[in-house]
Amino acid sequence: MVNTEHASLYLHPDRNLGMELVRATEAAAIRAVPFIGRGDKNAADGAAVDAMRKFLGTVDFDGVVVIGEGEKDDAPMLYNGEHVGSGRGPSCDIAVDPIDGTSLTANGRQNALSMIAVADRGSMYDPSAVFYMDKIVTGWEGHGVVDLRQPIGENIRALAKAKGKDVADMTIAILDRPRHAGLIDEVRAAGAGTRLMLDGDVAGGINAALSETRIDMCVGIGGTPEGIITACALKALGGFIQARLHPKDDDEAQKAIDAGHDLERILGVDDLVTSDNTYFVATGVTDGQLVGGVRKMGPKIRTESIVLRGKSGTIRRVVAEHLAEKWL
């Protein structure tokens, strides 16, 4: 019996917006290269923002930035609420991070990315200015097995069993922050290893959901915007995420309650992004486990990107060579 939904997808292929958006992340990554290791993260970010915005203007969609560089008064470009794209085509929410890891870039460290996430208009979660959330991310094996409310040791043992691995072979990615000292100790006490990240828990979450990486789980308190972006990527990967808002102080907690948020609510992937029509694109600025960084090779510039599409569950890796003289 023919699955008519799947047959329709192939008989009437629709446009893959991600393959157009990747040009914007490539441009941002390339423009950031002169600032790698130069100690000026603001200059690197400024160059990437300018390049990304220019290329987004060529894409046929009506995008509204819901996660961007900040409020309009503080961010002249790619600010929250700004319309991007040609204005023709689908109406979308867009989350942008021209450089995820500006400090990594400025210090010449690994794992800096340029990234964009897109979903149908109105489908991305509004955290009402709560900047942090507690998160746990795994691959598909975590569904029905892992729970944010359980102790981390229990989650590691349960996931190891589901993956058919020994606990000693499990690797848990965690942002290297003072707030995670106790969590790191608990992971190690459970018998698992840690991968401490200087920055960039989006890449950590995606790596946890990809089958070919050494990371099995990404946990800890990180940015709420990053949690929403990660959820867009997980739609294509079939991965698992749970999150809970983590206000930084009583004032932020009260604002969240006043906005109607339940601070004890566990948010799943469909709460963070209600649409399955999502795209996630990222290009490496510096080398990392998810993608390689920009490389100058004689007259060519080489970029490596990943393009994830939720609707089709497709992972594409895009390696491009750009004539360097066109970027001078």
Side-chain angles (χ1 to χ4, degrees), residues 19 34 36 63 104 106 161 180 190-191 251 278 285 289 291 302:
M19 298 306 293
I36 294 174
L104 299 177
K161 182 178 179 181
H180 289 148
D251 287 342
T278 63
V285 177
Q289 188 174 355
V291 285
R302 183 182 185 276

Side-chain angles (χ1 to χ4, degrees), residues 6-306:
H6 289 173
S8 176
L9 178 65
Y10 294 107
L11 289 172
H12 305 286
D14 56 356
R15 172 171 156 240
N16 187 341
L17 192 62
M19 298 306 293
E20 299 172 55
L21 294 170
V22 74
R23 295 173 61 241
T25 56
E26 288 172 344
I30 290 170
R31 287 301 188 197
V33 167
F35 303 96
I36 294 174
R38 301 303 177 91
D40 190 343
K41 67 178 185 178
N42 292 330
D45 193 50
V49 168
D50 183 57
M52 179 176 281
R53 186 171 183 267
K54 286 177 180 176
F55 273 78
L56 283 174
T58 70
V59 179
D60 281 338
F61 77 132
D62 177 16
V64 173
V65 178
V66 298
I67 298 171
E69 292 293 285
E71 299 303 317
K72 184 175 181 179
D73 290 343
D74 299 319
M77 293 187 291
L78 297 180
Y79 56 83
N80 296 347
E82 181 178 5
H83 281 256
V84 294
S86 69
R88 301 183 298 273
S91 298
C92 302
D93 285 347
I94 178 168
V96 299
D97 199 342
I99 303 181
D100 179 34
T102 53
S103 294
L104 299 177
T105 302
N107 293 316
R109 292 179 173 140
Q110 292 189 339
N111 296 312
L113 298 171
S114 175
M115 61 188 184
I116 297 171
V118 172
D120 292 332
R121 178 71 52 80
S123 63
M124 289 189 185
Y125 179 68
D126 179 3
S128 301
V130 179
F131 187 74
Y132 288 107
M133 54 172 40
D134 196 6
K135 293 172 275 190
I136 186 166
V137 185
T138 75
W140 62 269
E141 300 94 340
H143 291 283
V145 170
V146 170
D147 193 307
L148 185 62
R149 291 160 291 201
Q150 293 180 164
I152 187 62
E154 289 185 22
N155 280 325
I156 292 170
R157 288 187 288 273
L159 185 62
K161 182 178 179 181
K163 298 184 76 168
K165 296 179 67 170
D166 291 334
V167 169
D169 295 328
M170 297 287 284
T171 301
I172 314 302
I174 308 171
L175 281 172
D176 191 5
R177 299 288 188 272
R179 64 178 177 266
H180 289 148
L183 177 61
I184 292 167
D185 288 343
E186 288 180 50
V187 169
R188 292 171 177 169
T194 55
R195 176 73 60 85
L196 300 184
M197 303 177 293
L198 291 173
D199 224 330
D201 65 340
V202 172
I206 294 172
N207 279 324
L210 287 168
S211 58
E212 68 266 26
T213 73
R214 295 180 181 179
I215 294 175
D216 298 288
M217 181 188 296
C218 184
V219 296
I221 297 166
T224 300
E226 286 80 1
I228 297 166
I229 292 170
T230 300
C232 287
L234 294 179
K235 292 279 185 168
L237 301 173
F240 170 85
I241 184 172
Q242 282 185 341
R244 180 171 49 209
L245 292 176
H246 188 87
K248 65 179 184 290
D249 54 36
D250 290 342
D251 287 342
E252 193 172 272
Q254 191 57 53
K255 288 178 182 177
I257 292 169
D258 292 343
H261 289 294
D262 177 358
L263 299 181
E264 297 301 316
R265 182 187 177 195
I266 300 296
L267 302 164
V269 65
D270 291 328
D271 299 306
L272 296 170
V273 187
T274 58
S275 171
D276 288 331
N277 188 29
T278 63
Y279 299 89
F280 172 86
V281 299
T283 300
V285 177
T286 59
D287 284 339
Q289 188 174 355
L290 185 62
V291 285
V294 179
R295 295 179 184 272
K296 180 77 181 297
M297 303 187 305
K300 300 291 184 67
I301 298 171
R302 183 182 185 276
T303 57
E304 185 176 327
S305 306
I306 187 168

